[in-house]
């Protein structure tokens, strides 16, 4: 059915068979077919779940290795909503959950959802999933920030040195775009501009990033 392109019919027939196969070859074939059918129908999270189960099953090593590779390929293009679903639904001792967790942490940070960053980072640490490089930095910044002002805009500009004229023009543009200085009292939606001078110095600009955060 799956090879003929009848993925929905294949799923209806094969899903009840999960957990009933005895032969490793049959188990691998069943889970590979389920993953392919879900993927063809656009249900990437279900495809990831089927492959993750395959990695944890008593099947030939080559089949497990192939499933790991497919999982990584499916996770990369996932939408944020699907990532959240998988983070909550996957077996945390499986191969896919740490990969999904790292992606969930990055998505939450990029969407300024620091509560979610803290929750995901805590769960990953609890299950001994290492956070390296920028993910570790994201987690630390979220944990050190107890309140986020989504109206705040940080700008690092060359307000001194060779580029100061450009920096001043950029600052004026930011102020104009934000409607600042505002006429009358600020409203809850009025943007707030925080700026730092980079002074044409890369190290100073790097320090300004941490300062503004």
């Amino acid at each position: 059915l799956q090879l003929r392109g009848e993925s929905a019919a294949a799923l209806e027939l094969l899903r009840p068979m999960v957990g009933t196969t005895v032969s490793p070859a049959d188990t691998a074939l069943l889970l590979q077919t389920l993953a392919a059918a879900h993927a063809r129908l656009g249900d990437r999270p279900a495809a990831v779940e089927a492959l993750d189960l395959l990695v944890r099953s008593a099947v030939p090593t080559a089949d497990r290795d192939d499933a790991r590779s497919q999982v990584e390929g499916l996770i990369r293009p996932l939408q944020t909503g699907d990532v959240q679903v998988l983070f909550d639904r996957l077996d945390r001792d499986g191969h896919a959950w740490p990969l999904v967790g790292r992606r969930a942490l990055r998505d939450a940070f990029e969407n300024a959802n620091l509560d979610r960053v803290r929750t995901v980072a805590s769960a990953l640490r609890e299950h001994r999933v290492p956070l390296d490089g920028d993910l570790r930095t994201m987690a630390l910044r979220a944990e050190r920030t107890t309140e986020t002002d989504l109206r705040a805009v940080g700008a690092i500009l060359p307000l001194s040195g060779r580029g100061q004229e450009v920096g001043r023009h950029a600052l004026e543009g930011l102020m104009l775009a934000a409607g600042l200085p505002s006429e009358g009292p600020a409203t809850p939606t009025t943007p707030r501009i925080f700026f730092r001078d980079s002074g044409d110095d890369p190290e100073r600009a790097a320090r300004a990033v941490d300062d503004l955060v």
Side-chain angles (χ1 to χ4, degrees):
L1 286 169
Q2 170 61 16
L3 292 175
R4 289 205 304 263
E6 300 176 42
S7 298
L11 288 174
E12 184 177 356
L13 178 68
L14 297 177
R15 272 187 296 219
M17 297 175 63
V18 174
T20 67
T21 52
V22 176
S23 162
D26 287 347
T27 299
L29 178 60
L30 171 64
L31 295 174
Q32 288 165 348
T33 306
L34 284 171
H38 282 302
R40 180 177 288 173
L41 294 173
D43 191 347
R44 289 176 181 269
V48 170
E49 287 184 289
L51 291 168
D52 190 54
L53 181 56
L54 175 55
V55 173
R56 292 182 284 115
S57 298
V59 299
T61 300
D63 291 320
R64 290 201 302 272
D65 290 343
D66 183 58
R68 288 189 184 95
S69 177
Q70 290 184 64
V71 164
E72 292 163 11
L74 284 168
I75 289 173
R76 278 192 292 271
L78 284 177
Q79 299 294 318
T80 298
D82 289 337
V83 171
Q84 293 179 355
V85 167
L86 278 173
F87 182 77
D88 295 331
R89 208 162 69 185
L90 282 170
D91 187 314
R92 299 196 171 191
D93 294 324
H95 172 70
W97 187 78
L99 302 175
V100 168
R102 294 188 184 100
R103 170 67 192 281
L105 192 154
R106 186 180 299 278
D107 286 355
F109 187 85
E110 290 176 354
N111 288 300
N113 187 346
L114 298 189
D115 284 340
R116 180 70 174 171
V117 173
R118 288 188 283 268
T119 298
V120 172
S122 176
L124 290 172
R125 289 195 183 106
E126 182 181 343
H127 286 78
R128 302 182 184 279
V129 177
L131 296 179
D132 300 323
D134 56 347
L135 289 178
R136 182 173 179 272
T137 300
M138 291 174 190
L140 288 173
R141 285 181 174 172
E143 288 159 1
R144 291 171 181 173
T145 304
T146 57
E147 182 178 343
T148 303
D149 184 352
L150 297 180
R151 301 171 302 157
V153 177
I156 302 169
L157 305 168
L159 300 174
S160 62
R162 291 173 299 174
Q164 59 183 305
E165 185 176 352
V166 173
R168 283 199 296 270
H169 284 311
L171 180 58
E172 290 169 4
L174 283 168
M175 301 290 283
L176 179 63
L180 299 172
S182 58
E183 298 180 1
T187 68
T189 59
T190 300
R192 303 171 65 203
I193 306 294
F194 297 87
F195 60 89
R196 296 291 184 272
D197 179 14
S198 64
D200 288 331
D201 181 354
E203 292 184 4
R204 185 173 174 182
R207 291 194 299 271
V209 172
D210 290 325
D211 187 34
L212 286 174
V213 170

